Amino acid sequence: MLCVFKCPKLSLEAESFKEQGNAYYAKKDYNEAYNYYTKAIDTCPNNASYYGNRAATLMMLGRFREALGDAQQSVRLDDSFVRGHLREGKCHLSLGNAMAASRCFQRVLELDHKNTQAQQELKNASTVLEYEKIAEVDFEKRDFRKVVFCMDRALEFAPACHRFKILKAECLALLGRYPEAQSVASDILRMDSTNADALYVCGLCLYYEDCIEKAVQFFVQALRMAPDHEKACLACRNAKALKAKKEDGNKAFKEGNYKLAYELYTEALGIDPNNIKTNAKLYCNRGTVNSKLRKLEEAIDDCTNAVKLDDTYIKAYLRRAQCYMDTEQYEDAVRDYEKVYQTEKTKEHKQLLKNAQVELKKSKRKDYYKILGVDKNASEDEIKKAYRKRALMHHPDRHSGASAEVQKEEEKKFKEVGEAFTILSDPKKKARYDSGQDLEEDGLNMGDFDANNIFKAFFGGTGGFSFEGRWKCSPVSFGYVSTQVT
């Protein structure tokens, strides 16, 4: 070799360093091996094997970019150095450059067509290229799970490829797996604090977790490192726009300008459909606005959209449950309050659930207020007047000339009017009814109820109406005078 010919003393010293390096390499003390190979190179810088050995050591230390430089230098010094080409190919492959790796392994096969290691590594490089192609297509299709799968497989052959790791981290962020994405990006930033892609991914995770102000800081830093970073630029613009619109909407809401707040929240929702957590909050905020505007069905729809985006969003469940209560959709309200209470077992949530369950129970009974046609706050006189009117309206004798079907229906209504009056005219029963308690506990069996007795008691026990007889009616005092027909 050149260094041996020109400087035999130095070459012997270099060989001694190399042998000591080999000894440490065999003991897996790669740091000491690296030091001795470096001494050998410093002593004799034109020996291909020294660079090749140091490249192997750097690869064991995971320093593939430095190893690549040594491997390339080794084959520049000796193009027939098979191990040098193999190591260069392995470094390229580990760093994710499968095309360059393939060229190196093909060169090895030109020098040694039976080299099994090169044959296998060439297959590995082809596999990585295939996963790259699939991932590119799937990313366009927004099949981020498939991309993560492809990148995991590719990283088995290219463990030092930042590009693959960044793509995986970005897809993890887009899948909502923020801790995993941040972990990958942070690992890269520990090795390279100026990596714009890693800064972008960290910002993306914060942005999707609704930490918009912090996210903007990362996007700005990424753009300092790479001013033409398109994704960071778009994300930064969206983040700033979302923050501004949401704050303007909140301000309008606090000022009582609900129409403007609705418009601003709607505009904010159109900025970035991928920002699930922020959009869930915007839907819930707009739902609150709609509830203030008494557009309760629209409010329910907004809250439903919020929980579709974030099924852990307690505030949206509570808002929707209240709207269900206001629209008397008690079963839906109970379901939402149960979800809330299962998640956060507070006294307040327990009481809300209990109230909804009571209203649900009450809704399944006859609505005596509705039967009499009075408000729930009706006075005793209003209840009596309503009974008088409805009882006369539905009394069976009034409908004696109607069809059997109509007579049956009117008898049923007459009985319900009597039931309603019996309950609502008695303060105790009324209180129990209003609180949703079982009336049967008071000994009132509606199955054996006789509406005619109530009617007689109310109008007087004689003259006029008899549930047992048949009557012919003509207008007088309470609206009718009855003459018995035999």
Side-chain angles (χ1 to χ4, degrees), residues 109 153 156 187 320 343 364:
L109 292 173
R153 300 291 79 74
E156 291 174 5
D187 284 344
R320 186 172 70 173
T343 306
K364 290 184 176 180

Side-chain angles (χ1 to χ4, degrees), residues 60-77:
M60 297 305 294
L61 290 168
R63 294 157 62 180
F64 291 99
R65 201 162 295 283
E66 296 171 71
L68 176 61
D70 276 351
Q72 288 174 325
Q73 179 62 14
S74 74
V75 296
R76 275 196 291 269
L77 291 170

